[in-house]
């Protein structure tokens, strides 16, 4: 069976205020063409179909167009909700849509109930594990402590139990939306840290033939059977070096996996340039970036006059301008944002405690802070679901 694995469409998202709907529509067209020309047997979409819980109407219309075009091809599609989606909204009408071969899996309770497809060698079962917010699903899965690893492990226990009851040789695919250990993040994913730990081990997915992952925006191979497709478009300058693609996956009669990357259309190249303004304007080596979307970081010791106007004369698609004067790390003028770069909320809070009282929090106090951050995250998730 030949699968096309994609995820993280983020329909409705802009790129530094640039409307991306046209590029997203071009990707949908490319997806449909690939399904037809490469004789794909099933499409899997591993979450974050939309960019937010209440997407704009134009994004909903594009999603509707994608569903109709996939249904017209007669190729089954399995989709799960991600942490950016409203599971309840995305799942509306799932029962009816299911009849058209579009299988939406947004309910945690359905993790152990697969979509069953067939080929010449027998059944292939697809288990959809939507994004599992630990604080909201821990009771559903009967885990004592909310955490990504515990709820995902419990969901996979249901998968393995169902698979064990099926005919010998049944092949299996899991769709999941999670941060798996070994994956490389970018700046455009929403943080899903809970209890100070976001990542789950790849071994959680042991026992299935292929795990089609979503959440991280870079295409990457965790193991031969556990892969991220990444987002089809870049949504931050941290993705400037990404090769945006989908996985074309073949499952043979014994469940062995072979995979090929299918490149996605690139609306415009991305470039990150850095240095004093005058050097950026004069450097002939930067000519290749003159047609790209540009993020410029100026290192002049004193902020130059009209920097954006001058930059756009050479780089007309400059979208982001930052200032980072070259200074020693211990210079008191180093920006607050720069000092906090790369530090989690938990670490920042612990540093604040140490600054105020002269000693950092002990283990119990660290637990209190961690529980407080988790409670805020859970409350935000509940409010988003209820919107």
């Amino acid at each position: 069976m030949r699968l096309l694995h994609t995820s993280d469409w983020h329909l409705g998202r802009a790129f530094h205020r640039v409307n991306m709907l046209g590029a997203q529509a071009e990707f949908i067209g490319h997806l449909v063409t690939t399904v037809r020309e490469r004789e794909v047997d099933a499409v899997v979409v591993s979450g974050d179909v939309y960019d937010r819980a209440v997407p704009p109407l134009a994004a909903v219309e594009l999603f509707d167009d994608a569903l109709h075009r996939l249904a017209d091809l007669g190729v089954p599609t399995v989709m799960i909700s991600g942490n950016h989606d409203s599971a309840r909204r995305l799942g509306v009408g799932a029962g009816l849509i299911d009849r058209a071969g579009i299988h939406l899996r947004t309910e945690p309770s359905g993790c152990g109930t697969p979509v069953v497809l067939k080929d010449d060698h027998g059944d292939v079962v697809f288990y959809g594990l939507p994004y599992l917010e630990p604080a909201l699903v821990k009771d559903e899965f009967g885990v004592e402590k909310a955490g990504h690893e515990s709820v995902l492990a419990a969901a996979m226990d249901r998968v393995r139990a169902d698979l064990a009851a099926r005919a010998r040789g049944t092949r299996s695919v899991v769709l999941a939306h999670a941060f798996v250990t070994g994956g490389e993040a970018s700046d455009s994913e929403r943080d899903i840290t809970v209890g100070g730990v976001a990542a789950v081990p790849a071994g959680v997915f042991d026992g299935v033939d292929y795990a089609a992952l979503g959440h991280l925006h870079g295409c990457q191979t965790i193991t031969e059977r556990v892969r991220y497709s990444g987002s089809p478009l870049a949504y931050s300058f941290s993705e400037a070096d990404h090769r945006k693609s989908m996985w074309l996956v073949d499952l043979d009669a014994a469940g062995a996996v072979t995979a090929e990357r299918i490149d996605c259309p690139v609306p415009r190249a991305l470039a990150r340039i850095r240095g004093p303004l005058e050097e950026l304007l004069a450097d002939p080596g930067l000519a290749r970036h003159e047609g790209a979307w540009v993020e410029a970081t100026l290192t002049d010791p004193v902020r130059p006059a009209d920097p954006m106007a001058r930059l756009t004369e050479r780089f007309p698609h400059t979208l982001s301008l930052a200032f980072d004067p070259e200074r020693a790390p211990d210079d008191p003028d180093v920006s607050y944002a720069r000092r906090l770069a790369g530090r989690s909320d938990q670490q920042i809070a612990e540093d604040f405690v140490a600054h105020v009282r002269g000693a950092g929090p002990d283990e119990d106090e660290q637990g209190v802070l961690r529980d407080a951050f988790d409670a805020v995250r859970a409350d935000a998730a509940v409010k988003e679901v209820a919107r």
Side-chain angles (χ1 to χ4, degrees):
M1 182 170 287
R2 172 164 286 181
L3 319 174
L4 188 63
H5 168 200
T6 177
S7 72
D8 294 274
W9 295 357
H10 288 278
L11 300 181
R13 185 164 186 162
F15 182 77
H16 288 268
R17 300 177 302 281
V18 174
N19 189 311
M20 295 294 283
L21 275 170
Q24 290 169 340
E26 184 179 1
F27 161 69
I28 295 299
H30 170 69
L31 173 79
V32 171
T33 298
T34 301
V35 170
R36 182 176 60 249
E37 293 183 351
R38 299 301 299 270
E39 298 181 337
V40 170
D41 297 307
V43 177
V44 295
V45 186
S46 300
D48 282 353
V49 174
Y50 292 121
D51 187 57
R52 54 183 185 267
V54 185
L57 178 59
V60 177
E61 291 173 338
L62 180 55
F63 179 57
D64 180 67
D65 177 64
L67 295 187
H68 278 85
R69 294 171 73 178
L70 288 168
D72 287 345
L73 290 176
V75 175
T77 299
V78 185
M79 294 183 171
I80 61 172
S81 50
N83 61 303
H84 280 250
D85 298 309
S86 165
R88 290 174 64 184
R89 283 187 171 83
L90 188 64
V92 168
L96 289 173
I97 296 172
D98 193 82
R99 301 177 189 176
I102 307 293
H103 309 283
L104 294 171
R105 294 295 181 263
T106 64
E107 291 294 331
S109 59
C111 286
T113 304
V115 175
V116 182
L117 304 180
K118 297 179 182 293
D119 66 7
D120 293 340
H121 306 291
D123 289 350
V124 181
V125 289
F126 292 76
Y127 298 93
L129 279 54
Y131 172 66
L132 303 174
E133 178 65 42
L136 301 183
V137 302
K138 66 182 182 68
D139 292 338
E140 165 67 31
F141 292 105
V143 299
E144 292 183 5
K145 185 175 181 181
H148 285 287
E149 184 175 353
S150 60
V151 298
L152 197 53
M156 282 301 301
D157 285 344
R158 294 187 183 183
V159 168
R160 283 184 283 265
D162 180 85
L163 189 57
R166 294 183 178 272
R168 185 180 179 86
T170 298
R171 288 155 294 158
S172 54
V173 176
V174 164
L175 289 73
H177 197 85
F179 188 173
V180 173
T181 303
E184 184 177 341
S186 64
D187 292 342
S188 55
E189 299 110 3
R190 181 185 296 168
D191 179 47
I192 59 172
T193 302
V194 168
V197 180
V200 300
V204 165
F205 300 104
D206 286 351
V208 297
D209 293 309
Y210 184 70
L213 302 181
H215 180 58
L216 299 184
H217 288 184
C219 180
Q220 45 203 300
T221 301
I222 306 300
T223 72
E224 286 303 305
R225 295 184 182 275
V226 181
R227 298 171 187 262
Y228 283 99
S229 67
S231 61
L233 296 166
Y235 292 114
S236 73
F237 278 102
S238 66
E239 301 167 58
D241 295 329
H242 286 190
R243 173 187 165 195
K244 295 301 184 182
S245 57
M246 303 176 286
W247 284 115
L248 190 68
V249 177
D250 285 313
L251 277 180
D252 72 9
V257 171
T258 57
E260 173 191 349
R261 288 180 72 174
I262 304 295
D263 290 330
C264 295
V266 179
R268 190 179 295 278
L270 306 185
R272 306 178 97 173
I273 59 177
R274 178 186 179 89
L277 178 59
E278 296 300 334
E279 290 185 12
L280 298 182
L281 296 176
D283 186 352
L286 299 179
R288 66 187 187 279
H289 299 317
E290 290 174 357
W293 280 322
V294 168
E295 175 193 71
T297 301
L298 302 185
T299 61
D300 303 75
V302 177
R303 185 175 301 217
D306 300 321
M308 181 61 94
R310 296 172 66 190
L311 275 169
T312 53
E313 287 181 5
R314 183 179 187 190
F315 307 102
H317 304 287
T318 301
L319 300 181
S320 176
L321 176 61
F323 297 91
D324 188 17
E326 296 290 356
R327 294 190 175 104
D330 58 353
D331 189 311
D333 289 332
V334 170
S335 73
Y336 182 67
R338 185 173 174 183
R339 294 198 301 272
L340 297 184
R343 302 186 67 75
S344 68
D345 291 342
Q346 178 86 14
Q347 290 171 321
I348 293 169
E350 291 177 8
D351 287 349
F352 176 76
V353 172
H355 173 73
V356 169
R357 73 180 188 191
D362 60 26
E363 186 174 338
D364 289 340
E365 291 169 332
Q366 289 174 352
V368 170
L369 288 171
R370 187 160 48 247
D371 290 345
F373 282 119
D374 289 352
V376 170
R377 286 181 45 78
D379 182 63
V382 170
K383 289 179 178 177
E384 184 160 295
V385 168
R387 288 178 63 189

